[in-house]
Amino acid sequence: MIKVTVWNEFRHEKRMTEVKEIYPEGIHRALQTGLSAYGFDVGTATLDEPEHGLTDDVLASTDVLIWWGHMAHDEVDDSIVAKVQERVLQGMGLIVLHSGHYSKIFRKLMGTSCALKWREADEKERLWIVKPSHPIAAGLPEHFELEQEEMYGEHFDIPDPEELILVSWFEGGEVFRSGVTYSRGNGRIFYFRPGHETYPTYYRPHVLRVIANAVRWAAEERGAAPTYGNARPLEAIGVKR
């Protein structure tokens, strides 16, 4: 069974009534419930727990880490970021959601500012599947809509993605690369745009399907991890010159 850990700041839900009404137990709990229905073993971790809930044992047992952050990126301890980065390089999958684009871990792995344009308004978002053959697109229609979302617009300062899976269009006319993949070391990374805290986005079936598909994709078994360092002489491994 795939072991998933959903990490969430869990700050908006405590401080903003409108967010608490939508996610009374936190965004992490909504995602935990929605993804458990797909057969995953889903745990949670939050910013204010010791080590932000990401202890060595938790990270070691996590196949895929899902990250949602917004108002407290700077409060994430750099030592925890370094541990998460190392686990990704070792093969742990990472799914970064919405405003997690500006998290320390995503920026560290991307090596860019990860800046973008945004507009908080009740706008329709139409998400187009532009690579329908990809496993993350499995079981989805060619497009789906969210009646209310925050707008994200280009330019999105990320490296050219290895694969572009989804593109968003907004009522204001903007478009956005809203579903992109990367590999770092032996780990797979997926960034998925929707999920502003004042909208019930993480209850939407198509949104959960994208995330669940991404979990399976990110957790797929990789090839053997490479060996680095000083190579043994040919004679020592039985090779004759």
Side-chain angles (χ1 to χ4, degrees):
M1 182 181 292
I2 297 173
K3 177 67 171 70
V4 179
T5 300
V6 179
W7 190 89
N8 176 29
E9 282 180 356
F10 198 29
R11 290 287 179 82
H12 289 282
E13 303 93 317
K14 295 177 179 178
R15 300 180 183 183
M16 299 173 63
T17 300
E18 61 180 324
V19 180
K20 187 174 182 179
E21 289 176 352
I22 297 170
Y23 298 109
E25 297 182 350
I27 288 172
H28 55 296
R29 294 298 185 195
L31 287 168
Q32 181 183 38
T33 299
L35 294 174
S36 294
Y38 283 86
F40 306 131
D41 178 5
V42 186
T44 66
T46 58
L47 179 65
D48 292 326
E49 295 176 46
E51 298 183 68
H52 307 324
L54 299 175
T55 64
D56 289 344
D57 288 343
V58 168
L59 287 173
S61 65
T62 297
D63 298 309
V64 180
L65 177 64
I66 297 175
W67 193 281
W68 194 100
H70 187 190
M71 67 190 302
H73 296 311
D74 290 343
E75 294 182 42
V76 178
D77 190 276
D78 290 340
S79 66
I80 302 299
V81 175
K83 289 199 302 182
V84 173
Q85 180 194 30
E86 182 58 29
R87 278 290 293 125
V88 172
L89 298 179
Q90 292 170 356
M92 181 182 72
L94 177 66
I95 299 173
V96 177
L97 300 175
H98 191 59
S99 46
H101 73 89
Y102 212 61
S103 63
K104 287 183 177 181
I105 183 58
F106 192 61
R107 287 185 290 153
K108 189 177 186 70
L109 288 164
M110 294 299 103
T112 59
S113 74
C114 298
L116 47 78
K117 297 185 180 75
W118 77 91
R119 180 172 58 247
E120 292 191 33
D122 292 341
E123 292 188 50
K124 179 188 294 184
E125 177 180 5
R126 182 174 296 141
L127 293 105
W128 289 90
I129 307 294
V130 296
K131 192 167 187 179
S133 62
H134 196 278
I136 292 176
L140 292 164
E142 67 175 14
H143 73 271
F144 60 92
E145 294 183 355
L146 301 173
E147 291 301 319
Q148 293 179 312
E149 253 296 347
E150 179 182 28
M151 186 281 291
Y152 277 10
E154 296 286 350
H155 175 248
F156 187 15
D157 187 23
I158 51 175
D160 289 342
E162 293 174 12
E163 299 165 301
L164 176 61
I165 315 299
L166 297 106
V167 171
S168 289
W169 166 90
F170 296 89
E171 286 186 276
E174 293 87 358
V175 295
F176 190 79
R177 291 168 289 168
S178 54
V180 294
T181 70
Y182 298 93
S183 57
R184 293 291 185 271
N186 216 35
R188 289 178 169 178
I189 301 167
F190 179 60
Y191 172 77
F192 187 41
R193 197 219 71 82
H196 190 61
E197 65 275 2
T198 59
Y199 305 115
T201 301
Y202 293 127
Y203 298 113
R204 302 305 188 210
H206 289 324
V207 170
L208 288 171
R209 180 62 185 261
V210 170
I211 298 171
N213 287 347
V215 166
R216 293 194 184 97
W217 168 82
E220 286 181 1
E221 188 174 356
R222 316 294 196 276
T227 300
Y228 301 107
N230 189 22
R232 297 169 64 193
L234 294 178
E235 292 80 358
I237 59 175
V239 178
K240 295 182 179 180
R241 296 181 183 272

